[in-house]
Amino acid sequence: MSRGLSKVFMKKLKRKKARTLPLLEIPANIEELARLVEQNEGPHLEFKRTTGELKEGLQTLCAFLNDKGGIVLFGVNRKGLVEGQQVSEQTMHEITAALERFEPPAPVEIGRIKVGRGREVIALAVRSNAETVPFTFESRPFQRVGNTTRKMSQHRYESLLLERAYARRRWENQPAEGVRLQDLDREEILRTRAAAIEQRRISAETGRNVGDILDRLGLRIDGQITHAAQVLYGTKFLPYYAHCVLKMGRFRGTAVTGDILDNKQEHMHAFAMVREAMAFLDRTLPLSARFEEGRIFREDRLPVPPNALREVILNAVMHRDYSDYGGYIAIAVFDDRIEVRSSGRLPAGVTAHQLSGPHLSRPRNILIAETFHRTGAVEIWGRGTNRVIEECRRYGIAPPTFEEKQGFLIVTFRSPIGPAVRQPESQPESQPESQPESQPESQPESLERRTLRFLQVGPLSKAELSAQLGQKKISGHLNKVIRELIDQGAVEYTLPDKPSSRLQKYRITKVGKNMLQEKS
């Protein structure tokens, strides 16, 4: 039957000389179909005998989508003989339903070419689209190698995902549905304008109309607020922007299983996130002092250079993957290190190891990074991590490490944060650090100093302080010392509006840190 049909097919072909058909164009008639079939299977053409091989044919179509496009012909056998098949309404329904298994939705052209004797060839054609590659079919990506279709490697798939982030259609430049101009932080936008003018990175003639400012920054397109504008200046984040979140935690010990001394989670825009992260580190990290030779003034020092911390936090805020609605930025402080975590993998071609040396800048979020650059907060030359390393070396600590883990980039600064020596509870009572509180209470200054030292690690409640001091219950002397420290401005409430709250904790202030250093 196939031979007979092919003979009929070739007779019709000889009656008319067909034009040369472009490879990705669906044939309009049997003559054009013949010219296409003559090109044989290859990187952009696949034959399937019937739609009984629909699944395999659509896997190949997925591979074409992930390359430069192509056509799958149903009704042509592997030898290139046109047999055709009977095509019913049910056949077309099955094809249409199967096309819904592509992710993202694939633009597929469908053609039907009559080849005689009530039979047809079905042609499915796709064109390349770099803005939406990679595609998957039934949750699996495929690629074309010669005239065969193979499952795409995970590494290749992830690389294409990253490349898609740099295409013209990115998450950050898409409309932020439901976000209005009045929903943005006007004062922050004006601060950006002032800083950009000062840095000469925006025209001094730029007015104070926030809509015009957003237009100049590329954050409003055709009158629509973009996702980037919402990330940079938004004021409302729930429920649709819940991933614009900063997590901050102080853990006792060296693992997340240790006691949590401080735990905060805040939804906020990018500029506020940088400020809040630095404020958290400022009040959480211990402050030490040193006197440089030949100078009479002391130098107050954090365990890690603030400029290095700020640079890493800026990078985390600018370059994280905001298209991941389960992502976040986290700052975790342990006794021996500080970790800054941000969701999203590094761009294709950039490894964690390369961040410790010269590398090109390839921002994931071009609009967000450019806005920070205009304020003078960052450069755009890929030198940020190198400056962090140099700053740490000048400071006398080890450079940070960079690691990709479970879809996050983790930057780790190693430096002593908690107490240098931790005394076990069974130590002899002659050692002050583990004595019951009843003994040092006769020395108010000692109790004051110990209270400040424990609060330097992070905010604590009275009960937590009492336990740290070795007391079985909160003593009257401890209450008195806390009141005196609050009066002196050395300690403050974490809930100032609710001083008697059961959730109340106390944290050390800069005054308290200075008092602690003086007593040292």
Side-chain angles (χ1 to χ4, degrees):
M1 180 176 180
S2 62
R3 287 184 179 179
L5 183 58
S6 293
K7 288 180 180 179
V8 172
F9 179 80
M10 292 307 296
K11 286 180 181 179
K12 291 183 178 180
L13 174 62
K14 291 178 181 178
R15 292 173 190 166
K16 182 179 179 182
K17 184 178 180 181
R19 64 185 176 89
T20 302
L21 185 70
L23 184 61
L24 300 184
E25 186 175 320
I26 290 180
N29 49 51
I30 57 175
E31 291 84 6
E32 291 185 354
L33 175 62
R35 296 290 182 262
L36 182 60
V37 170
E38 284 178 354
Q39 298 182 39
N40 296 320
E41 290 184 307
H44 309 289
L45 184 61
E46 174 87 343
F47 301 152
K48 295 297 179 187
R49 187 172 183 179
T50 69
T51 50
E53 300 176 276
L54 181 61
K55 180 177 179 179
E56 292 78 7
L58 295 186
Q59 290 175 351
T60 296
L61 206 65
C62 178
F64 291 158
L65 282 163
N66 289 328
D67 192 18
K68 297 180 180 179
I71 295 180
V72 178
L73 297 175
F74 294 94
V76 181
N77 67 25
R78 295 301 299 270
K79 294 181 179 180
L81 294 177
V82 176
E83 299 180 352
Q85 71 169 70
Q86 292 182 346
V87 179
S88 65
E89 185 176 335
Q90 179 64 23
T91 304
M92 300 308 298
H93 174 74
E94 290 174 356
I95 293 174
T96 303
L99 291 179
E100 294 180 0
R101 300 175 201 160
F102 282 98
E103 181 61 37
V108 180
E109 296 180 56
I110 304 177
R112 297 169 63 175
I113 307 100
K114 294 181 179 181
V115 294
R117 298 189 178 182
R119 291 177 168 255
E120 299 177 55
V121 169
I122 299 175
L124 302 183
V126 293
R127 302 180 186 276
S128 62
N129 187 350
E131 295 181 358
T132 47
V133 167
F135 286 84
T136 62
F137 177 70
E138 295 184 336
S139 302
R140 292 186 176 183
F142 295 89
Q143 65 181 22
R144 190 72 169 173
V145 180
N147 62 353
T148 61
T149 298
R150 300 178 184 175
K151 183 180 177 182
M152 185 180 292
S153 70
Q154 184 70 18
H155 179 267
R156 175 61 178 161
Y157 177 64
E158 291 175 355
S159 297
L160 288 174
L161 280 175
L162 287 170
E163 289 176 13
R164 183 167 74 186
Y166 296 101
R168 183 172 179 269
R169 184 182 176 85
R170 306 183 308 277
W171 182 88
E172 66 165 353
N173 64 14
Q174 297 308 295
E177 295 182 10
V179 178
R180 302 166 301 171
L181 198 59
Q182 54 265 41
D183 294 329
L184 303 182
D185 188 337
R186 182 176 185 276
E187 294 304 315
E188 193 67 59
I189 295 173
L190 293 177
R191 278 195 288 269
T192 297
R193 168 190 171 272
I197 289 175
E198 184 179 350
Q199 295 291 324
R200 298 183 179 180
R201 291 173 180 168
I202 196 173
S203 172
E205 297 178 358
T206 303
R208 293 174 59 84
N209 181 287
V210 293
D212 292 342
I213 296 171
L214 294 180
D215 290 339
R216 284 183 176 267
L217 296 174
L219 302 176
R220 189 171 70 166
I221 301 175
D222 296 332
Q224 292 187 303
I225 305 297
T226 61
H227 287 313
Q230 166 68 7
V231 166
L232 288 163
Y233 305 113
T235 59
K236 300 176 182 178
F237 299 96
L238 298 177
Y240 302 115
Y241 291 89
H243 60 306
C244 293
V245 63
L246 173 65
K247 299 182 179 183
M248 298 163 283
R250 171 66 173 102
F251 300 87
R252 180 179 287 117
T254 59
V256 292
T257 53
D259 293 339
I260 301 177
L261 302 178
D262 194 5
N263 183 26
K264 292 187 66 177
Q265 178 170 300
E266 300 284 354
H267 292 88
M268 57 184 64
H269 61 63
F271 287 101
M273 203 171 283
V274 175
R275 290 193 292 268
E276 180 60 29
M278 291 303 297
F280 168 76
L281 291 171
D282 182 62
R283 64 177 179 263
T284 302
L285 299 179
L287 189 66
S288 62
R290 73 172 184 176
F291 292 87
E292 292 187 7
E293 186 176 353
R295 299 184 63 181
I296 62 173
F297 298 105
R298 73 182 184 189
E299 177 192 1
D300 291 332
R301 286 167 55 93
L302 292 173
V304 174
N307 287 341
L309 287 169
R310 179 176 176 274
E311 185 75 36
V312 168
I313 291 168
L314 278 166
N315 282 339
V317 170
M318 291 188 301
H319 302 315
R320 61 157 286 195
D321 184 1
Y322 285 100
S323 68
D324 177 5
Y325 284 90
Y328 55 85
I329 293 171
I331 299 173
V333 180
F334 301 89
D335 282 355
D336 64 341
R337 69 190 186 280
I338 303 168
E339 291 183 0
V340 179
R341 309 168 183 172
S342 56
S343 56
R345 295 184 177 276
L346 291 168
V350 178
T351 65
H353 176 72
Q354 289 175 336
L355 295 179
S356 298
H359 60 278
L360 297 176
S361 174
R362 193 178 182 187
R364 172 184 279 109
N365 307 302
I366 298 172
L367 294 175
I368 295 172
E370 175 63 18
T371 301
F372 273 99
H373 168 66
R374 287 177 185 263
T375 68
V378 295
E379 293 183 353
I380 53 173
W381 298 102
R383 302 193 306 168
T385 54
N386 301 134
R387 289 204 308 273
V388 169
I389 292 170
E390 292 170 3
E391 187 76 16
C392 289
R393 286 172 177 163
R394 283 197 299 267
Y395 212 70
I397 68 170
T401 59
F402 304 91
E403 177 189 15
E404 278 190 298
K405 188 176 182 180
Q406 297 178 345
F408 281 76
L409 177 65
I410 304 174
V411 184
T412 303
F413 294 90
R414 298 244 172 222
S415 185
I417 308 296
V421 179
R422 294 199 160 276
Q423 301 289 352
E425 294 182 2
S426 60
Q427 286 290 324
E429 290 188 357
S430 59
Q431 299 190 31
E433 287 296 325
S434 60
Q435 284 183 336
E437 215 277 320
S438 59
Q439 293 188 28
E441 276 200 350
S442 61
Q443 305 172 24
E445 183 178 3
S446 175
L447 179 58
E448 178 187 86
R449 180 179 179 278
R450 293 175 69 197
T451 300
L452 289 173
R453 182 171 61 78
F454 283 121
L455 289 178
Q456 193 174 30
V457 176
L460 296 171
S461 65
K462 281 184 181 178
E464 291 169 334
L465 269 172
S466 180
Q468 288 285 334
L469 292 164
Q471 295 178 337
K472 293 183 179 180
K473 62 180 181 178
I474 302 170
S475 70
H477 197 177
L478 177 59
N479 278 323
K480 179 182 177 182
V481 167
I482 290 176
R483 286 196 301 270
E484 290 175 349
L485 290 173
I486 290 175
D487 291 341
Q488 296 169 24
V491 170
E492 63 184 5
Y493 294 114
T494 56
L495 300 173
D497 298 331
K498 300 178 181 179
S500 301
S501 171
R502 63 183 179 83
L503 302 177
Q504 187 64 260
K505 292 189 177 185
Y506 306 88
R507 60 175 165 239
I508 193 170
T509 65
K510 288 186 177 180
V511 172
K513 291 180 180 179
N514 290 337
M515 287 174 58
L516 190 59
Q517 294 305 321
E518 290 169 1
K519 294 180 183 299
S520 298

